[in-house]
Amino acid sequence: MVRNTSEVGGVSGNRFGSSDRFITGQSSAPIGLFDSGVGGLTVLRELYRQLPHESVIYFGDTARLPYGTRSPAQILEYVREILTWMVQQGVKMVIMACNTSSALALEAVQSEFDIPILGLILPGSRAAVQQGRRIGVIATPATAASHAYRHAILEADPTAQVWEVGCPEFVPLIEHNRVNDPYTAAIAQEYLEPLIQQRIDTLIYGCTHYPYLAPILRQILPSTVTLVDPAVSVVAAAAQELDLLALKNVRPPLPTRFYVSGSPLTFSGLAAQWLGCTPVVEQVAVSTLTALSASQVPTL
Ligand code: DGL
């Protein structure tokens, strides 16, 4: 792990310091995106829309999902392993396409790695306070328990009111391809009920898997509720940061490289539905990630 103990500041809504803090790579290097599974593809789709000239490496830690029911220490360990691997792949920036990692690990790893690392919580919170004051957040149990969204929203607008709901069943249902199962709609109704009771005007997708549930959530929520997908604003922040660091790719982008720690076949089958094409997926074993991370000697 490459350590850097310099102070972190605030640039484009993300807590990284001045551009000279980073050992910046080449502008043609890929951007790294990671999630526990297919959730991060909702961020990837947004990246394709806003930054079509960038090359991407996507990692899904499918052997260890869901993250949302794991301890903060476990999540931080996984994130460190993935970032170490991504740095070895030569990425110029990482977007954590996972709210749970952003909520539990972003602050720690931003001061440990010498590349810009962006998370979803601040951009998502800032986007939400532009929309309303009665803000609901649906998230994994770990994200909801961290109150990362509550803190970020109140920092952006102290007059806002926030209700966070942990939704433990959503990620397993989505990863098992059960979005259209009547059970998913029933459980969604249960999770949203307390937020509807509170008359929220805005709802944040506090997990990157949840935009896949949009048609179901839309049917349950009053039509006056605005849905906020933090993917839109994190990619906008990434674009700003690339500009600032003079790291925008000017060459033709390479095809996205997909890696998972679990079954490549299962991932590509599921990913095809959401991407509209079947990705070629390679496996990186968990043992490779842990060995690589353990071999890093911190340079303090
Ligand atoms: N998609 C992730 C998130 O945004 C993680 C889901 C999980 O593995 O629990 O939090």
Side-chain angles (χ1 to χ4, degrees):
M1 190 185 304
V2 187
R3 288 191 188 270
N4 180 321
T5 53
S6 66
E7 282 294 308
V8 286
V11 176
S12 59
N14 299 285
R15 306 183 81 193
F16 17 96
S18 61
S19 49
D20 58 3
R21 213 204 103 195
F22 302 118
I23 302 167
T24 47
Q26 287 186 341
S27 57
S28 60
I31 295 175
L33 246 68
F34 76 88
D35 180 42
S36 60
V38 291
L41 300 178
T42 60
V43 182
L44 180 62
R45 288 190 310 199
E46 191 54 36
L47 192 145
Y48 286 159
R49 200 177 67 79
Q50 291 190 45
L51 289 169
H53 302 298
E54 296 298 330
S55 303
V56 179
I57 291 184
Y58 185 94
F59 179 78
D61 199 0
T62 54
R64 302 189 288 196
L65 71 79
Y67 276 14
T69 45
R70 294 190 182 273
S71 71
Q74 191 84 85
I75 293 161
L76 178 57
E77 192 182 317
Y78 294 171
V79 170
R80 283 185 171 134
E81 289 171 10
I82 295 165
L83 288 173
T84 304
W85 177 81
M86 285 211 157
V87 167
Q88 200 193 47
Q89 302 305 305
V91 298
K92 63 182 175 186
M93 165 185 277
V94 170
I95 301 175
M96 288 187 176
C98 171
N99 287 269
T100 310
S101 304
S102 306
L104 277 310
L106 180 67
E107 218 163 300
V109 296
Q110 276 181 333
S111 57
E112 294 172 353
F113 290 84
D114 287 321
I115 51 165
I117 304 170
L118 284 74
L120 292 151
I121 311 287
L122 274 183
S125 300
R126 287 176 181 172
V129 299
Q130 302 299 313
Q131 300 300 324
R133 289 253 175 82
R134 302 182 67 80
I135 302 173
V137 182
I138 47 172
T140 65
T143 302
S146 76
H147 299 302
Y149 268 110
R150 175 187 301 280
H151 295 142
I153 291 166
L154 294 179
E155 208 174 290
D157 181 353
T159 69
Q161 284 184 281
V162 185
W163 294 271
E164 296 158 293
V165 175
C167 310
E169 296 212 51
F170 276 163
V171 167
L173 285 167
I174 292 163
E175 290 285 340
H176 288 104
N177 205 9
R178 292 181 59 193
V179 167
N180 297 315
D181 191 321
Y183 177 77
T184 306
I187 203 79
Q189 179 82 49
E190 211 173 282
Y191 291 148
L192 293 180
E193 200 50 50
L195 299 174
I196 295 169
Q197 295 287 324
Q198 293 296 343
R199 291 175 288 106
I200 57 162
D201 52 32
T202 306
L203 180 68
I204 301 179
Y205 292 118
C207 170
T208 52
H209 281 74
Y210 299 174
Y212 298 133
L213 301 172
I216 295 166
L217 303 180
R218 265 272 144 256
Q219 274 192 349
I220 299 169
L221 290 166
S223 58
T224 48
V225 175
T226 305
L227 284 161
V228 171
D229 185 353
V232 178
S233 31
V234 79
V235 175
Q240 230 183 319
E241 199 57 26
L242 290 175
D243 263 340
L244 205 71
L245 297 166
L247 277 180
K248 270 205 166 144
N249 187 24
V250 287
R251 297 193 195 157
L254 298 171
T256 302
R257 285 151 56 197
F258 292 91
Y259 299 88
V260 291
S261 55
S263 156
L265 209 64
T266 307
F267 181 87
S268 68
L270 201 55
Q273 289 183 41
W274 308 115
L275 288 176
C277 60
T278 307
V280 176
V281 186
E282 287 176 52
Q283 193 185 38
V284 179
V286 166
S287 56
T288 306
L289 295 173
T290 49
L292 189 68
S293 184
S295 73
Q296 298 297 304
V297 182
T299 53
L300 286 170

